[in-house]
Amino acid sequence: MQEQKGESSPSISSLSIVQMNGVSASYDSKEYVLKNIQMSISRGANYAIVGQSGSGKSTLLRLINGMMSPTKGKIMVDYNIPNPSDKKFKSLMHKIGYIPQNLGLIKNSTVLENVLIGALPRVSGFNSFFKKFSDSEIDNAKKILKQVGLQGKAERKVYMLSGGEKRRVAIARALVQKPEIILADEIVSELDHVTAREIMEVLAEAQATMKLTAIMVHHDLQLALEYADRVAVIKEGEKVLEIGVEGDKIVDFQSGNYTQTEILEMFTNESKE
Amino acid sequence: MNQKNNLIIGLIIAGVVVMSVNVDADPRDFAEGLPNIGIMLKEITEVDSSLFVTAFWSMLETIEMAFIGTVVGVAIALPLSLLAARNLNNKFVYVPIRALLAAIRTFPSILWAILFVIIVGLGPFAGVLAIIMYTIGFIAKLQYEAIEAIDADPMDAVGAIGVSKIQLIRFVVLPESASHLLSQILYIFDYNIRQTSILGLVGAGGIGFYIINYIKFFEYGKAAVFMLVVLATVLIIEWVSVRVRDKYIVKSQRGMQIKS
Ligand SMILES: Nc1ncnc2c1ncn2[C@@H]1O[C@H](COP(=O)(O)OP(=O)(O)OP(=O)(O)O)[C@@H](O)[C@H]1O
Ligand SMILES: [Mg+2]
């Protein structure tokens, strides 16, 4: 895995694939759910976002893939302003693997059909209407199903799968996109530790081989620190910390150095539910 | 229950009483007329079994009419429902389509039948056309409502990939609304058989022609044969549709356990 540590000062925007300047967002124009977010995510980074429930983590991901627009401020994703009706950004959307918090799988379709949805940008309208995919697309999808640990389950209907298996389907769908960016929203929350780690390993391996940028929302700071090289902590819509591990120290990229225990204490005090 | 609810219920009951007076609906007339039912029942039991063969063939014609009407009607309704759904189109598309569908729905099938008898003449074809129109209005509305009620999560997740609208429809909208559609189709087929049975009233084919004529000439026993055949058919269709529903709809939803 590429290491981005140390070289990623937020001002070097040319290196960053996601750049946010003073971004605020709201749903009903009354109250901002994200306030003045400053964020710079470097290409190839493994970036994590943690924070309490309702702090605005999912909203942040939806700003990046253009499913929502900021009320104030500016976002650039690979030099584009996210906007689904813009042709250029649309072709970038093909390369953003988005795994929403509730996965968004088609329950009555098979695992393979769900996963092949990721290949749709490469299929003509006519062929996709008849659900016709080339042999190489099907082979590739099956290869990825194997990679995420779903071999032999291709023809299963999704509603028959376990919670962990469903998450693997959503990961596979994103990987079939041949993505440059993966946005994963609490992909391992509420799973047992063993399964959570298995799934994180699958993602880490895919990230290493496909050289992609991963932006993942987590509930668990410990897990975030373990897998990410940068962790942003969101509290009530504001980014209060951006930390990373360097050697055995946790480095706060906003305001100096803390030890790991200090940060953990800070976090638990802040986000005790 | 609070004061306000009591008031509303009171007003509704008062409304029913006042309106009944207005439309001359007097329960006493009903009581006086009850003995007539006895006479009718007695005559109905004098079934003329020699007519069963005719009844069978005219029922078959009715079923064929309903089947064609349902299939063609659904085939036309489905694309219209996709165009009428507000979560798939802008208002320049869905407003006119919805207006068209509302216009189609203002006519009950019997009025469509009269219209088509004028256009294509007496016979089953007019009935088939009437059933098609009714099916379009009914299925398209229920289906666009179902499409609008589709879970937003898969729409979002697949939409975020930047797929085309055709792809979104094929991979999200259709599978997510398929069980609903199947359920509506079973319902409308059942309903179409029953309404095709009365289209004979205006000369648009089907078993209703016989029923109406025998009733007109007070031959209740003969009419009864035809009504029994309709009843048997509806029961068979009901039985089949329960099977289909269990197999394709209930199971796919949440694997409900059916007590048998
Ligand atoms: N569609 C919506 N309409 C209105 N308000 C919304 C909507 N979605 C989210 N919100 C509000 O925005 C705020 C941030 O929500 P968001 O989903 O981003 O939080 P989150 O950090 O992902 O929480 P969780 O950990 O529970 O998933 C919350 O207060 C929530 O109530
Ligand atoms: Mg969330």
Side-chain angles (χ1 to χ4, degrees):
Chain A
M1 202 169 300
Q2 288 121 305
E3 292 295 60
Q4 303 292 323
K5 290 161 191 168
E7 48 139 51
S8 30
S9 130
S11 58
I12 311 172
S13 60
S14 62
L15 280 177
S16 52
I17 191 158
V18 174
Q19 178 74 38
M20 295 197 189
N21 290 323
V23 166
S24 299
S26 66
Y27 285 96
D28 43 22
S29 71
K30 255 196 196 144
E31 205 183 354
Y32 287 115
V33 297
L34 284 174
K35 296 163 206 137
N36 198 23
I37 299 284
Q38 211 67 34
M39 193 174 272
S40 176
I41 302 174
S42 356
R43 210 171 280 277
N46 193 343
Y47 200 90
I49 298 163
V50 294
Q52 268 183 287
S53 182
S55 56
K57 306 179 296 292
S58 299
T59 309
L60 198 58
L61 290 191
R62 295 170 56 80
L63 288 172
I64 296 173
N65 69 2
M67 297 310 279
M68 203 178 148
S69 302
T71 323
K72 276 198 293 201
K74 193 171 177 193
I75 308 177
M76 294 292 267
V77 179
D78 207 8
Y79 312 109
N80 289 282
I81 294 169
N83 170 14
S85 39
D86 170 37
K87 261 220 166 78
K88 227 177 131 216
F89 187 73
K90 196 146 194 168
S91 56
L92 185 58
M93 286 165 89
H94 301 338
K95 296 285 177 188
I96 301 178
Y98 173 50
I99 307 167
Q101 199 158 356
N102 13 35
L103 307 177
L105 300 172
I106 320 300
K107 295 183 292 297
N108 287 320
S109 296
T110 65
V111 168
L112 186 62
E113 279 171 333
N114 267 279
V115 168
L116 281 169
I117 287 174
L120 285 179
R122 301 186 291 269
V123 180
S124 74
F126 183 81
N127 279 341
S128 50
F129 192 80
F130 295 97
K131 295 202 170 179
K132 234 180 125 216
F133 292 87
S134 68
D135 289 345
S136 68
E137 286 293 2
I138 293 171
D139 286 347
N140 180 51
K142 287 192 170 155
K143 201 186 82 203
I144 287 172
L145 280 179
K146 198 167 167 204
Q147 189 184 331
V148 301
L150 284 174
Q151 58 271 52
K153 301 240 160 75
E155 299 306 328
R156 275 277 174 97
K157 292 271 167 112
V158 162
Y159 68 84
M160 296 178 181
L161 299 179
S162 75
E165 287 168 335
K166 284 184 186 136
R167 294 173 205 228
R168 291 172 201 262
V169 177
I171 293 172
R173 178 179 65 194
L175 294 180
V176 165
Q177 285 177 253
K178 306 189 173 153
E180 284 165 19
I181 305 174
I182 285 267
L183 306 175
D185 200 345
E186 307 213 21
I187 186 79
V188 295
S189 296
E190 290 152 29
L191 287 180
D192 62 88
H193 276 269
V194 180
T195 315
R197 285 203 154 52
E198 266 175 31
I199 287 180
M200 284 310 292
E201 292 300 334
V202 166
L203 277 164
E205 197 196 302
Q207 202 201 355
T209 51
M210 299 172 90
K211 293 196 175 65
L212 43 85
T213 309
I215 305 170
M216 298 193 201
V217 167
H218 287 299
H219 230 90
D220 180 355
L221 177 66
Q222 199 79 57
L223 190 101
L225 284 171
E226 193 177 323
Y227 285 97
D229 31 51
R230 283 280 182 117
V231 181
V233 181
I234 310 283
K235 192 191 172 195
E236 286 164 17
E238 286 177 80
K239 194 175 100 179
V240 290
L241 274 178
E242 180 162 350
I243 53 185
V245 183
E246 264 176 23
D248 57 350
K249 263 191 150 332
I250 288 187
V251 186
D252 175 2
F253 294 99
Q254 283 188 328
S255 54
N257 290 359
Y258 298 90
T259 65
Q260 181 154 0
T261 35
E262 280 172 326
I263 296 274
L264 282 175
E265 267 166 22
M266 208 183 316
F267 184 77
T268 40
N269 288 341
E270 271 167 358
S271 67
K272 258 272 147 64
E273 273 162 46
Chain B
M1 196 155 309
N2 58 28
Q3 286 261 292
K4 202 175 145 202
N5 284 347
N6 286 339
L7 184 68
I8 291 173
I9 292 170
L11 281 174
I12 292 174
I13 293 173
V16 170
V17 172
V18 171
M19 291 177 207
S20 299
V21 173
N22 277 351
V23 301
D24 233 353
D26 189 339
R28 281 169 301 182
D29 289 350
F30 187 73
E32 278 169 26
L34 272 179
N36 289 340
I37 296 183
I39 298 170
M40 234 157 78
L41 281 178
K42 196 175 147 282
E43 288 190 30
I44 280 178
T45 52
E46 290 153 14
V47 167
D48 184 347
S49 55
S50 67
L51 281 170
F52 268 111
V53 176
T54 320
F56 177 82
W57 287 112
S58 60
M59 189 70 234
L60 191 66
E61 181 187 73
T62 307
I63 294 173
E64 286 168 343
M65 287 166 66
F67 187 80
I68 302 168
T70 304
V71 170
V72 176
V74 168
I76 298 171
L78 196 57
L80 287 175
S81 70
L82 291 167
L83 291 171
R86 282 173 300 173
N87 52 347
L88 292 176
N89 304 283
N90 67 41
K91 59 170 173 289
F92 298 106
V93 179
Y94 68 71
V95 168
I97 298 285
R98 279 167 179 244
L100 174 74
L101 291 172
I104 292 176
R105 279 198 314 277
T106 43
F107 281 16
S109 56
I110 196 91
L111 283 187
W112 281 117
I114 292 172
L115 193 73
F116 285 118
V117 164
I118 296 168
I119 298 173
V120 302
L122 290 168
F125 186 45
V128 168
L129 290 173
I131 294 298
I132 290 175
M133 293 310 281
Y134 187 85
T135 304
I136 292 173
F138 180 88
I139 291 287
K141 180 180 167 67
L142 289 176
Q143 200 53 24
Y144 75 63
E145 282 172 356
I147 291 170
E148 287 177 358
I150 286 180
D151 192 357
D153 295 329
M155 290 281 267
D156 249 31
V158 178
I161 298 174
V163 300
S164 69
K165 192 180 285 175
I166 300 262
Q167 293 174 329
L168 193 69
I169 287 170
R170 188 65 186 91
F171 283 81
V172 184
V173 175
L174 293 185
E176 288 278 288
S177 59
S179 68
H180 192 274
L181 178 65
L182 179 59
S183 166
Q184 297 309 339
I185 292 173
L186 289 173
Y187 178 80
I188 192 81
F189 181 53
D190 180 314
Y191 189 75
N192 280 347
I193 287 195
R194 283 178 279 138
Q195 59 175 352
T196 310
S197 305
I198 61 153
L199 291 184
L201 191 68
V202 296
I207 199 168
F209 174 76
Y210 296 94
I211 298 178
I212 292 301
N213 277 305
Y214 286 125
I215 288 181
K216 252 194 224 160
F217 296 104
F218 307 107
E219 297 188 85
Y220 299 123
K222 291 182 175 166
V225 174
F226 291 84
M227 290 198 280
L228 278 176
V229 171
V230 174
L231 178 69
T233 309
V234 168
L235 287 178
I236 291 169
I237 300 229
E238 169 68 18
W239 184 80
V240 171
S241 70
V242 166
R243 288 296 129 117
V244 176
R245 219 176 280 261
D246 287 351
K247 188 158 166 49
Y248 294 102
I249 300 172
V250 180
K251 258 199 203 150
S252 67
Q253 302 280 311
R254 206 153 268 306
M256 177 185 108
Q257 294 298 312
I258 297 153
K259 300 192 182 83
S260 48

